Amino acid sequence: MVSRGKHKRIYALYRGDVYICDGTADELATETGLKVATILWYATGVRRSRVNSQQRKSKKSIIVEPIGWDDDDE
């Protein structure tokens, strides 16, 4: 999992251009049934650059965008 000290990265998951949910990679994996490794691969710059604008509009295309860090001080 990508983390910065005690903070974890928050991602937004889209199917095409439709927002599905957001959360940590673990939360997205639980919500979608995908593996954490798959969520993290979808969030890489390489994977996102491979998905061109036409593919992004497809309802089958899953996009994971990093959107920030959690605020929990656990």
Side-chain angles (χ1 to χ4, degrees):
M1 166 126 13
V2 178
S3 65
R4 183 178 66 180
K6 294 181 181 178
H7 299 284
K8 295 180 181 176
R9 181 68 107 168
I10 301 295
Y11 302 94
L13 185 136
Y14 300 86
R15 184 171 304 273
D17 284 336
V18 178
Y19 170 82
I20 303 298
C21 60
D22 62 38
T24 65
D26 289 330
E27 293 168 344
L28 293 181
T30 301
E31 182 76 24
T32 63
L34 297 169
K35 293 180 182 179
V36 172
T38 302
I39 298 293
L40 294 175
W41 162 244
Y42 285 163
T44 63
V46 171
R47 193 326 183 125
R48 286 184 288 146
S49 68
R50 289 181 184 175
V51 178
N52 64 33
S53 61
Q54 285 293 66
Q55 290 172 321
R56 184 173 176 115
K57 292 178 184 176
S58 166
K59 293 182 180 177
K60 294 181 181 179
S61 179
I62 295 175
I63 308 296
V64 177
E65 298 280 346
I67 58 172
W69 299 93
D70 72 349
D71 292 332
D72 293 341
D73 290 330
E74 297 176 9

